[in-house]
Amino acid sequence: MARRVEDPELAFRLARAIVSDIALYNPDKVEEGIKNDNIFDLLAEELQEGREHFAERVSETLENRDQLFDRAIVDVMIKQAGKIESSIW
């Protein structure tokens, strides 16, 4: 088995890359989810798959591992969607 990522900065970069791929392959869901404030419902399956992939690649001993993935979702998917009309902003 390959070594797992133990560096928090590398783990965060991995999380951002995974979330970027999800956003890249699901632009309609991202736009609709931002517009209707249900992005987590619309992308639940994709985000869960991404989270599982992240967990497989990152050491369980890394502090705040789950928060790194959540922060990547906000940084990559939510902040970059600021140009989309929505009642949430």
Side-chain angles (χ1 to χ4, degrees):
M1 186 170 124
R3 269 187 67 197
R4 291 183 169 201
V5 175
E6 295 182 13
D7 179 285
E9 197 171 307
L10 289 176
F12 186 56
R13 288 201 341 232
L14 174 62
R16 287 177 56 91
I18 292 169
V19 174
S20 290
D21 282 351
I22 293 169
L24 181 67
Y25 290 108
N26 298 282
D28 296 339
K29 285 184 178 182
V30 171
E31 184 171 346
E32 182 182 339
I34 294 294
K35 282 182 179 176
N36 300 318
D37 192 17
N38 66 344
I39 192 165
F40 295 103
D41 294 333
L42 287 179
L43 288 169
E45 187 176 317
E46 292 86 348
L47 290 170
Q48 183 58 38
E49 283 179 25
R51 189 177 297 278
E52 289 170 6
H53 179 64
F54 178 75
E56 289 170 4
R57 302 270 316 272
V58 175
S59 173
E60 300 97 16
T61 61
L62 185 67
E63 194 173 327
N64 299 322
R65 181 174 77 159
D66 292 337
Q67 286 84 353
L68 289 174
F69 192 81
D70 292 339
R71 200 170 103 212
I73 293 171
V74 172
D75 276 8
V76 173
M77 206 173 287
I78 309 300
K79 284 184 182 174
Q80 292 182 8
K83 64 190 176 295
I84 299 171
E85 279 293 314
S86 176
S87 62
I88 60 177
W89 10 89

